[in-house]
Amino acid sequence: MERLGGGGSGLIAAVVRGLVEGYRSSSALEAAQRSTNQATWAEISLVLESSVFLLMGLQLPAALADEQDVPPTRAVVLALLLVVRALVVALMLAAARHRSCPGT
């Protein structure tokens, strides 16, 4: 195992390693493996992004409680944004399912 001299950053080393492996994977992996790898990372990305929005949603009641005099238009806009986000996530999931089994 190689070491970075003089207190190098482990994070930078991990990023560089990922970039090198990603570059090599195009010749080291078969097409089916690359396709599976890409689909897996797309799902992981979707789950992580959805988790961030879930955490934001959990903090929403506390944020709204701080605002005693919330104008109704602000509440309507907020509700509309939440509905639009839910629709976008639903469409993304439907598209992912359709791509994974195109015969259905």
PDB file of all heavy atoms in Angstrom, residues 3-37:
ATOM      1  N   ARG A   3       1.726   5.259   0.448  1.00  0.00           N
ATOM      2  CA  ARG A   3       1.340   6.324   1.367  1.00  0.00           C
ATOM      3  C   ARG A   3       1.700   7.663   0.757  1.00  0.00           C
ATOM      4  O   ARG A   3       2.679   7.792   0.049  1.00  0.00           O
ATOM      5  CB  ARG A   3       2.082   6.197   2.699  1.00  0.00           C
ATOM      6  CG  ARG A   3       1.664   5.001   3.502  1.00  0.00           C
ATOM      7  CD  ARG A   3       2.445   4.995   4.802  1.00  0.00           C
ATOM      8  NE  ARG A   3       1.812   4.101   5.718  1.00  0.00           N
ATOM      9  CZ  ARG A   3       1.032   4.488   6.724  1.00  0.00           C
ATOM     10  NH1 ARG A   3       0.821   5.752   6.945  1.00  0.00           N
ATOM     11  NH2 ARG A   3       0.486   3.602   7.516  1.00  0.00           N
ATOM     12  N   LEU A   4       0.852   8.645   1.056  1.00  0.00           N
ATOM     13  CA  LEU A   4       1.177  10.006   0.658  1.00  0.00           C
ATOM     14  C   LEU A   4       2.201  10.544   1.634  1.00  0.00           C
ATOM     15  O   LEU A   4       2.055  10.402   2.837  1.00  0.00           O
ATOM     16  CB  LEU A   4      -0.074  10.896   0.682  1.00  0.00           C
ATOM     17  CG  LEU A   4      -1.149  10.555  -0.345  1.00  0.00           C
ATOM     18  CD1 LEU A   4      -2.359  11.436  -0.120  1.00  0.00           C
ATOM     19  CD2 LEU A   4      -0.624  10.759  -1.735  1.00  0.00           C
ATOM     20  N   GLY A   5       3.236  11.145   1.125  1.00  0.00           N
ATOM     21  CA  GLY A   5       4.272  11.670   2.003  1.00  0.00           C
ATOM     22  C   GLY A   5       3.842  12.957   2.687  1.00  0.00           C
ATOM     23  O   GLY A   5       3.179  13.796   2.104  1.00  0.00           O
ATOM     24  N   GLY A   6       4.176  13.085   3.949  1.00  0.00           N
ATOM     25  CA  GLY A   6       3.999  14.350   4.653  1.00  0.00           C
ATOM     26  C   GLY A   6       2.564  14.745   4.943  1.00  0.00           C
ATOM     27  O   GLY A   6       2.176  15.877   4.710  1.00  0.00           O
ATOM     28  N   GLY A   7       1.758  13.850   5.443  1.00  0.00           N
ATOM     29  CA  GLY A   7       0.416  14.227   5.896  1.00  0.00           C
ATOM     30  C   GLY A   7      -0.555  14.559   4.780  1.00  0.00           C
ATOM     31  O   GLY A   7      -1.300  15.525   4.883  1.00  0.00           O
ATOM     32  N   GLY A   8      -0.562  13.788   3.717  1.00  0.00           N
ATOM     33  CA  GLY A   8      -1.513  14.020   2.633  1.00  0.00           C
ATOM     34  C   GLY A   8      -2.937  13.711   3.071  1.00  0.00           C
ATOM     35  O   GLY A   8      -3.173  13.016   4.057  1.00  0.00           O
ATOM     36  N   SER A   9      -3.874  14.242   2.355  1.00  0.00           N
ATOM     37  CA  SER A   9      -5.280  14.078   2.703  1.00  0.00           C
ATOM     38  C   SER A   9      -5.805  12.724   2.247  1.00  0.00           C
ATOM     39  O   SER A   9      -5.659  12.347   1.083  1.00  0.00           O
ATOM     40  CB  SER A   9      -6.092  15.194   2.050  1.00  0.00           C
ATOM     41  OG  SER A   9      -7.464  14.927   2.152  1.00  0.00           O
ATOM     42  N   GLY A  10      -6.428  12.010   3.171  1.00  0.00           N
ATOM     43  CA  GLY A  10      -7.041  10.732   2.831  1.00  0.00           C
ATOM     44  C   GLY A  10      -8.213  10.909   1.881  1.00  0.00           C
ATOM     45  O   GLY A  10      -8.465  10.074   1.024  1.00  0.00           O
ATOM     46  N   LEU A  11      -8.930  12.025   2.039  1.00  0.00           N
ATOM     47  CA  LEU A  11     -10.068  12.302   1.160  1.00  0.00           C
ATOM     48  C   LEU A  11      -9.600  12.500  -0.279  1.00  0.00           C
ATOM     49  O   LEU A  11     -10.182  11.934  -1.212  1.00  0.00           O
ATOM     50  CB  LEU A  11     -10.819  13.539   1.649  1.00  0.00           C
ATOM     51  CG  LEU A  11     -11.997  13.981   0.801  1.00  0.00           C
ATOM     52  CD1 LEU A  11     -13.057  12.898   0.763  1.00  0.00           C
ATOM     53  CD2 LEU A  11     -12.584  15.269   1.325  1.00  0.00           C
ATOM     54  N   ILE A  12      -8.542  13.265  -0.448  1.00  0.00           N
ATOM     55  CA  ILE A  12      -8.013  13.485  -1.808  1.00  0.00           C
ATOM     56  C   ILE A  12      -7.515  12.170  -2.400  1.00  0.00           C
ATOM     57  O   ILE A  12      -7.745  11.877  -3.570  1.00  0.00           O
ATOM     58  CB  ILE A  12      -6.892  14.550  -1.790  1.00  0.00           C
ATOM     59  CG1 ILE A  12      -7.498  15.912  -1.439  1.00  0.00           C
ATOM     60  CG2 ILE A  12      -6.176  14.612  -3.133  1.00  0.00           C
ATOM     61  CD1 ILE A  12      -6.495  17.009  -1.261  1.00  0.00           C
ATOM     62  N   ALA A  13      -6.882  11.351  -1.564  1.00  0.00           N
ATOM     63  CA  ALA A  13      -6.399  10.058  -2.039  1.00  0.00           C
ATOM     64  C   ALA A  13      -7.565   9.181  -2.484  1.00  0.00           C
ATOM     65  O   ALA A  13      -7.485   8.504  -3.515  1.00  0.00           O
ATOM     66  CB  ALA A  13      -5.602   9.367  -0.938  1.00  0.00           C
ATOM     67  N   ALA A  14      -8.656   9.191  -1.730  1.00  0.00           N
ATOM     68  CA  ALA A  14      -9.819   8.383  -2.094  1.00  0.00           C
ATOM     69  C   ALA A  14     -10.445   8.879  -3.394  1.00  0.00           C
ATOM     70  O   ALA A  14     -10.853   8.078  -4.242  1.00  0.00           O
ATOM     71  CB  ALA A  14     -10.845   8.416  -0.965  1.00  0.00           C
ATOM     72  N   VAL A  15     -10.518  10.191  -3.577  1.00  0.00           N
ATOM     73  CA  VAL A  15     -11.080  10.752  -4.804  1.00  0.00           C
ATOM     74  C   VAL A  15     -10.207  10.398  -6.002  1.00  0.00           C
ATOM     75  O   VAL A  15     -10.712   9.977  -7.050  1.00  0.00           O
ATOM     76  CB  VAL A  15     -11.263  12.281  -4.674  1.00  0.00           C
ATOM     77  CG1 VAL A  15     -11.601  12.905  -6.021  1.00  0.00           C
ATOM     78  CG2 VAL A  15     -12.343  12.605  -3.655  1.00  0.00           C
ATOM     79  N   VAL A  16      -8.906  10.543  -5.853  1.00  0.00           N
ATOM     80  CA  VAL A  16      -7.990  10.210  -6.953  1.00  0.00           C
ATOM     81  C   VAL A  16      -8.088   8.724  -7.289  1.00  0.00           C
ATOM     82  O   VAL A  16      -8.142   8.349  -8.458  1.00  0.00           O
ATOM     83  CB  VAL A  16      -6.543  10.615  -6.594  1.00  0.00           C
ATOM     84  CG1 VAL A  16      -5.548  10.047  -7.595  1.00  0.00           C
ATOM     85  CG2 VAL A  16      -6.427  12.122  -6.523  1.00  0.00           C
ATOM     86  N   ARG A  17      -8.164   7.885  -6.264  1.00  0.00           N
ATOM     87  CA  ARG A  17      -8.288   6.448  -6.490  1.00  0.00           C
ATOM     88  C   ARG A  17      -9.581   6.137  -7.261  1.00  0.00           C
ATOM     89  O   ARG A  17      -9.603   5.325  -8.189  1.00  0.00           O
ATOM     90  CB  ARG A  17      -8.273   5.710  -5.142  1.00  0.00           C
ATOM     91  CG  ARG A  17      -8.547   4.242  -5.188  1.00  0.00           C
ATOM     92  CD  ARG A  17      -7.428   3.499  -5.865  1.00  0.00           C
ATOM     93  NE  ARG A  17      -7.790   2.103  -5.984  1.00  0.00           N
ATOM     94  CZ  ARG A  17      -6.953   1.114  -5.834  1.00  0.00           C
ATOM     95  NH1 ARG A  17      -5.692   1.367  -5.585  1.00  0.00           N
ATOM     96  NH2 ARG A  17      -7.347  -0.100  -5.964  1.00  0.00           N
ATOM     97  N   GLY A  18     -10.680   6.804  -6.870  1.00  0.00           N
ATOM     98  CA  GLY A  18     -11.940   6.603  -7.563  1.00  0.00           C
ATOM     99  C   GLY A  18     -11.871   7.029  -9.015  1.00  0.00           C
ATOM    100  O   GLY A  18     -12.415   6.361  -9.901  1.00  0.00           O
ATOM    101  N   LEU A  19     -11.207   8.149  -9.277  1.00  0.00           N
ATOM    102  CA  LEU A  19     -11.060   8.620 -10.655  1.00  0.00           C
ATOM    103  C   LEU A  19     -10.228   7.652 -11.491  1.00  0.00           C
ATOM    104  O   LEU A  19     -10.561   7.357 -12.642  1.00  0.00           O
ATOM    105  CB  LEU A  19     -10.429  10.018 -10.674  1.00  0.00           C
ATOM    106  CG  LEU A  19     -11.307  11.152 -10.150  1.00  0.00           C
ATOM    107  CD1 LEU A  19     -10.505  12.440 -10.036  1.00  0.00           C
ATOM    108  CD2 LEU A  19     -12.508  11.350 -11.054  1.00  0.00           C
ATOM    109  N   VAL A  20      -9.143   7.162 -10.908  1.00  0.00           N
ATOM    110  CA  VAL A  20      -8.283   6.219 -11.636  1.00  0.00           C
ATOM    111  C   VAL A  20      -9.038   4.930 -11.924  1.00  0.00           C
ATOM    112  O   VAL A  20      -9.007   4.412 -13.048  1.00  0.00           O
ATOM    113  CB  VAL A  20      -6.983   5.940 -10.836  1.00  0.00           C
ATOM    114  CG1 VAL A  20      -6.199   4.765 -11.426  1.00  0.00           C
ATOM    115  CG2 VAL A  20      -6.114   7.181 -10.800  1.00  0.00           C
ATOM    116  N   GLU A  21      -9.741   4.395 -10.926  1.00  0.00           N
ATOM    117  CA  GLU A  21     -10.501   3.162 -11.123  1.00  0.00           C
ATOM    118  C   GLU A  21     -11.626   3.379 -12.128  1.00  0.00           C
ATOM    119  O   GLU A  21     -11.926   2.500 -12.931  1.00  0.00           O
ATOM    120  CB  GLU A  21     -11.056   2.644  -9.795  1.00  0.00           C
ATOM    121  CG  GLU A  21     -10.003   2.105  -8.863  1.00  0.00           C
ATOM    122  CD  GLU A  21      -9.232   0.939  -9.448  1.00  0.00           C
ATOM    123  OE1 GLU A  21      -9.852   0.058 -10.085  1.00  0.00           O
ATOM    124  OE2 GLU A  21      -8.006   0.896  -9.268  1.00  0.00           O
ATOM    125  N   GLY A  22     -12.275   4.536 -12.084  1.00  0.00           N
ATOM    126  CA  GLY A  22     -13.330   4.833 -13.047  1.00  0.00           C
ATOM    127  C   GLY A  22     -12.792   4.876 -14.463  1.00  0.00           C
ATOM    128  O   GLY A  22     -13.439   4.411 -15.408  1.00  0.00           O
ATOM    129  N   TYR A  23     -11.614   5.435 -14.625  1.00  0.00           N
ATOM    130  CA  TYR A  23     -10.991   5.504 -15.944  1.00  0.00           C
ATOM    131  C   TYR A  23     -10.639   4.102 -16.438  1.00  0.00           C
ATOM    132  O   TYR A  23     -10.857   3.763 -17.601  1.00  0.00           O
ATOM    133  CB  TYR A  23      -9.749   6.384 -15.877  1.00  0.00           C
ATOM    134  CG  TYR A  23      -9.015   6.482 -17.189  1.00  0.00           C
ATOM    135  CD1 TYR A  23      -9.523   7.258 -18.230  1.00  0.00           C
ATOM    136  CD2 TYR A  23      -7.826   5.795 -17.399  1.00  0.00           C
ATOM    137  CE1 TYR A  23      -8.854   7.348 -19.448  1.00  0.00           C
ATOM    138  CE2 TYR A  23      -7.155   5.878 -18.601  1.00  0.00           C
ATOM    139  CZ  TYR A  23      -7.670   6.658 -19.619  1.00  0.00           C
ATOM    140  OH  TYR A  23      -7.012   6.739 -20.812  1.00  0.00           O
ATOM    141  N   ARG A  24     -10.112   3.267 -15.538  1.00  0.00           N
ATOM    142  CA  ARG A  24      -9.716   1.910 -15.913  1.00  0.00           C
ATOM    143  C   ARG A  24     -10.916   1.004 -16.152  1.00  0.00           C
ATOM    144  O   ARG A  24     -10.814   0.028 -16.873  1.00  0.00           O
ATOM    145  CB  ARG A  24      -8.862   1.285 -14.804  1.00  0.00           C
ATOM    146  CG  ARG A  24      -7.449   1.729 -14.803  1.00  0.00           C
ATOM    147  CD  ARG A  24      -6.677   0.809 -13.888  1.00  0.00           C
ATOM    148  NE  ARG A  24      -5.617   1.542 -13.224  1.00  0.00           N
ATOM    149  CZ  ARG A  24      -4.966   1.121 -12.172  1.00  0.00           C
ATOM    150  NH1 ARG A  24      -5.294  -0.023 -11.628  1.00  0.00           N
ATOM    151  NH2 ARG A  24      -4.016   1.840 -11.651  1.00  0.00           N
ATOM    152  N   SER A  25     -12.035   1.292 -15.501  1.00  0.00           N
ATOM    153  CA  SER A  25     -13.174   0.371 -15.561  1.00  0.00           C
ATOM    154  C   SER A  25     -13.738   0.226 -16.966  1.00  0.00           C
ATOM    155  O   SER A  25     -14.337  -0.791 -17.284  1.00  0.00           O
ATOM    156  CB  SER A  25     -14.279   0.819 -14.601  1.00  0.00           C
ATOM    157  OG  SER A  25     -14.908   1.984 -15.079  1.00  0.00           O
ATOM    158  N   SER A  26     -13.555   1.240 -17.805  1.00  0.00           N
ATOM    159  CA  SER A  26     -14.098   1.139 -19.160  1.00  0.00           C
ATOM    160  C   SER A  26     -13.439   0.014 -19.944  1.00  0.00           C
ATOM    161  O   SER A  26     -14.053  -0.581 -20.822  1.00  0.00           O
ATOM    162  CB  SER A  26     -13.940   2.466 -19.899  1.00  0.00           C
ATOM    163  OG  SER A  26     -12.579   2.797 -20.029  1.00  0.00           O
ATOM    164  N   SER A  27     -12.198  -0.304 -19.615  1.00  0.00           N
ATOM    165  CA  SER A  27     -11.537  -1.405 -20.312  1.00  0.00           C
ATOM    166  C   SER A  27     -11.517  -2.677 -19.471  1.00  0.00           C
ATOM    167  O   SER A  27     -11.363  -3.765 -20.015  1.00  0.00           O
ATOM    168  CB  SER A  27     -10.103  -1.014 -20.675  1.00  0.00           C
ATOM    169  OG  SER A  27      -9.366  -0.721 -19.507  1.00  0.00           O
ATOM    170  N   ALA A  28     -11.678  -2.566 -18.167  1.00  0.00           N
ATOM    171  CA  ALA A  28     -11.587  -3.742 -17.292  1.00  0.00           C
ATOM    172  C   ALA A  28     -12.926  -4.446 -17.118  1.00  0.00           C
ATOM    173  O   ALA A  28     -12.956  -5.633 -16.822  1.00  0.00           O
ATOM    174  CB  ALA A  28     -11.049  -3.325 -15.922  1.00  0.00           C
ATOM    175  N   LEU A  29     -14.037  -3.732 -17.281  1.00  0.00           N
ATOM    176  CA  LEU A  29     -15.348  -4.328 -17.059  1.00  0.00           C
ATOM    177  C   LEU A  29     -16.048  -4.608 -18.382  1.00  0.00           C
ATOM    178  O   LEU A  29     -15.860  -3.898 -19.355  1.00  0.00           O
ATOM    179  CB  LEU A  29     -16.227  -3.390 -16.231  1.00  0.00           C
ATOM    180  CG  LEU A  29     -15.752  -3.059 -14.825  1.00  0.00           C
ATOM    181  CD1 LEU A  29     -16.686  -2.037 -14.201  1.00  0.00           C
ATOM    182  CD2 LEU A  29     -15.660  -4.296 -13.967  1.00  0.00           C
ATOM    183  N   GLU A  30     -16.877  -5.627 -18.370  1.00  0.00           N
ATOM    184  CA  GLU A  30     -17.688  -5.929 -19.546  1.00  0.00           C
ATOM    185  C   GLU A  30     -18.863  -4.960 -19.597  1.00  0.00           C
ATOM    186  O   GLU A  30     -19.188  -4.297 -18.625  1.00  0.00           O
ATOM    187  CB  GLU A  30     -18.187  -7.365 -19.473  1.00  0.00           C
ATOM    188  CG  GLU A  30     -17.079  -8.387 -19.529  1.00  0.00           C
ATOM    189  CD  GLU A  30     -17.616  -9.791 -19.371  1.00  0.00           C
ATOM    190  OE1 GLU A  30     -18.845  -9.977 -19.366  1.00  0.00           O
ATOM    191  OE2 GLU A  30     -16.796 -10.708 -19.254  1.00  0.00           O
ATOM    192  N   ALA A  31     -19.514  -4.907 -20.731  1.00  0.00           N
ATOM    193  CA  ALA A  31     -20.616  -3.967 -20.933  1.00  0.00           C
ATOM    194  C   ALA A  31     -21.748  -4.197 -19.928  1.00  0.00           C
ATOM    195  O   ALA A  31     -22.311  -3.247 -19.388  1.00  0.00           O
ATOM    196  CB  ALA A  31     -21.144  -4.067 -22.358  1.00  0.00           C
ATOM    197  N   ALA A  32     -22.077  -5.429 -19.660  1.00  0.00           N
ATOM    198  CA  ALA A  32     -23.163  -5.730 -18.710  1.00  0.00           C
ATOM    199  C   ALA A  32     -22.803  -5.258 -17.305  1.00  0.00           C
ATOM    200  O   ALA A  32     -23.651  -4.732 -16.583  1.00  0.00           O
ATOM    201  CB  ALA A  32     -23.456  -7.225 -18.702  1.00  0.00           C
ATOM    202  N   GLN A  33     -21.551  -5.427 -16.921  1.00  0.00           N
ATOM    203  CA  GLN A  33     -21.111  -4.970 -15.600  1.00  0.00           C
ATOM    204  C   GLN A  33     -21.152  -3.449 -15.512  1.00  0.00           C
ATOM    205  O   GLN A  33     -21.550  -2.894 -14.491  1.00  0.00           O
ATOM    206  CB  GLN A  33     -19.702  -5.479 -15.308  1.00  0.00           C
ATOM    207  CG  GLN A  33     -19.629  -6.975 -15.116  1.00  0.00           C
ATOM    208  CD  GLN A  33     -18.199  -7.471 -15.047  1.00  0.00           C
ATOM    209  OE1 GLN A  33     -17.323  -6.967 -15.741  1.00  0.00           O
ATOM    210  NE2 GLN A  33     -17.968  -8.464 -14.203  1.00  0.00           N
ATOM    211  N   ARG A  34     -20.725  -2.771 -16.572  1.00  0.00           N
ATOM    212  CA  ARG A  34     -20.768  -1.303 -16.575  1.00  0.00           C
ATOM    213  C   ARG A  34     -22.202  -0.808 -16.486  1.00  0.00           C
ATOM    214  O   ARG A  34     -22.509   0.143 -15.779  1.00  0.00           O
ATOM    215  CB  ARG A  34     -20.089  -0.756 -17.828  1.00  0.00           C
ATOM    216  CG  ARG A  34     -18.580  -0.802 -17.767  1.00  0.00           C
ATOM    217  CD  ARG A  34     -17.942   0.048 -18.844  1.00  0.00           C
ATOM    218  NE  ARG A  34     -18.369  -0.285 -20.192  1.00  0.00           N
ATOM    219  CZ  ARG A  34     -17.794  -1.200 -20.966  1.00  0.00           C
ATOM    220  NH1 ARG A  34     -16.764  -1.878 -20.527  1.00  0.00           N
ATOM    221  NH2 ARG A  34     -18.243  -1.436 -22.183  1.00  0.00           N
ATOM    222  N   SER A  35     -23.101  -1.478 -17.204  1.00  0.00           N
ATOM    223  CA  SER A  35     -24.515  -1.100 -17.181  1.00  0.00           C
ATOM    224  C   SER A  35     -25.105  -1.289 -15.785  1.00  0.00           C
ATOM    225  O   SER A  35     -25.817  -0.422 -15.277  1.00  0.00           O
ATOM    226  CB  SER A  35     -25.284  -1.926 -18.205  1.00  0.00           C
ATOM    227  OG  SER A  35     -26.648  -1.614 -18.149  1.00  0.00           O
ATOM    228  N   THR A  36     -24.802  -2.411 -15.164  1.00  0.00           N
ATOM    229  CA  THR A  36     -25.275  -2.669 -13.799  1.00  0.00           C
ATOM    230  C   THR A  36     -24.693  -1.664 -12.825  1.00  0.00           C
ATOM    231  O   THR A  36     -25.395  -1.148 -11.954  1.00  0.00           O
ATOM    232  CB  THR A  36     -24.899  -4.100 -13.371  1.00  0.00           C
ATOM    233  OG1 THR A  36     -25.473  -5.019 -14.294  1.00  0.00           O
ATOM    234  CG2 THR A  36     -25.375  -4.401 -11.968  1.00  0.00           C
ATOM    235  N   ASN A  37     -23.425  -1.355 -12.981  1.00  0.00           N
ATOM    236  CA  ASN A  37     -22.751  -0.382 -12.130  1.00  0.00           C
ATOM    237  C   ASN A  37     -23.411   0.992 -12.254  1.00  0.00           C
ATOM    238  O   ASN A  37     -23.690   1.656 -11.250  1.00  0.00           O
ATOM    239  CB  ASN A  37     -21.273  -0.311 -12.506  1.00  0.00           C
ATOM    240  CG  ASN A  37     -20.454   0.448 -11.502  1.00  0.00           C
ATOM    241  OD1 ASN A  37     -20.887   0.694 -10.396  1.00  0.00           O
ATOM    242  ND2 ASN A  37     -19.249   0.822 -11.904  1.00  0.00           N
TER     243      ASN A  37
END
